[in-house]
Amino acid sequence: QVQLEESGGGLVQAGGSLRLSCVASGIDWNYVNMGWFRQAPGKDREFVAGLKWSGGGAVYIDSVQGRFTISRDIARNTLDLQMNALIPEDTAVYYCAGDFTRIRDRPFNPRDMDYWGRGTLVTVSS
């Protein structure tokens, strides 16, 4: 049974850093696209950063490129998101999600993700 559980959210001032972690159980890291998404109040859920099982390096949305770093630790079954230089626009609930369809090089889309964590709230004050 697949379970995803996020942690690490909180309140931080603009310019600060947070590290989110997602513990993933019941998954085969060799054939799953894992990503971080976020949803701000009144907005649609959006992709933030991801790692594809087919390789090719990390993928980021433009607004976090150079500030956020996604990584995975297979031994610990975790997917982490290091967030630096946070800005108020980063305020959102952050979700860890997995796409298990094994389609090579599939783009990250909230509609295509099979499993979701409950989310962790990140609040960036100005």
Side-chain angles (χ1 to χ4, degrees):
Q1 182 178 359
V2 175
Q3 288 187 325
L4 306 175
E5 183 172 358
E6 306 93 338
S7 63
L11 173 64
V12 63
Q13 287 188 331
S17 299
L18 281 175
R19 187 176 184 87
L20 305 184
S21 186
C22 170
V23 177
S25 58
I27 70 170
D28 182 351
W29 288 93
N30 291 317
Y31 294 107
V32 59
N33 289 346
M34 292 294 295
W36 285 95
F37 294 75
R38 67 186 180 187
Q39 188 165 16
K43 295 188 177 181
D44 294 334
R45 191 169 298 186
E46 67 172 352
F47 166 74
V48 176
L51 290 170
K52 298 180 181 179
W53 67 267
S54 54
V59 182
Y60 301 93
I61 56 169
D62 289 345
S63 62
V64 307
Q65 186 79 42
R67 300 189 297 122
F68 290 10
T69 302
I70 188 172
S71 62
R72 67 179 186 179
D73 186 332
I74 296 177
R76 293 171 54 236
N77 283 327
T78 58
L79 181 77
D80 294 336
L81 185 67
Q82 177 66 43
M83 306 186 296
N84 299 328
L86 285 161
I87 59 178
E89 290 76 13
D90 293 322
T91 295
V93 177
Y94 283 71
Y95 299 90
C96 171
D99 170 9
F100 293 78
T101 55
R102 301 190 180 188
I103 297 176
R104 183 173 293 275
D105 204 29
R106 186 179 194 181
F108 287 93
N109 188 312
R111 297 190 303 270
D112 296 329
M113 307 309 285
D114 298 305
Y115 290 92
W116 294 87
R118 295 183 183 180
T120 185
L121 176 62
V122 172
T123 304
V124 184
S125 62
S126 57

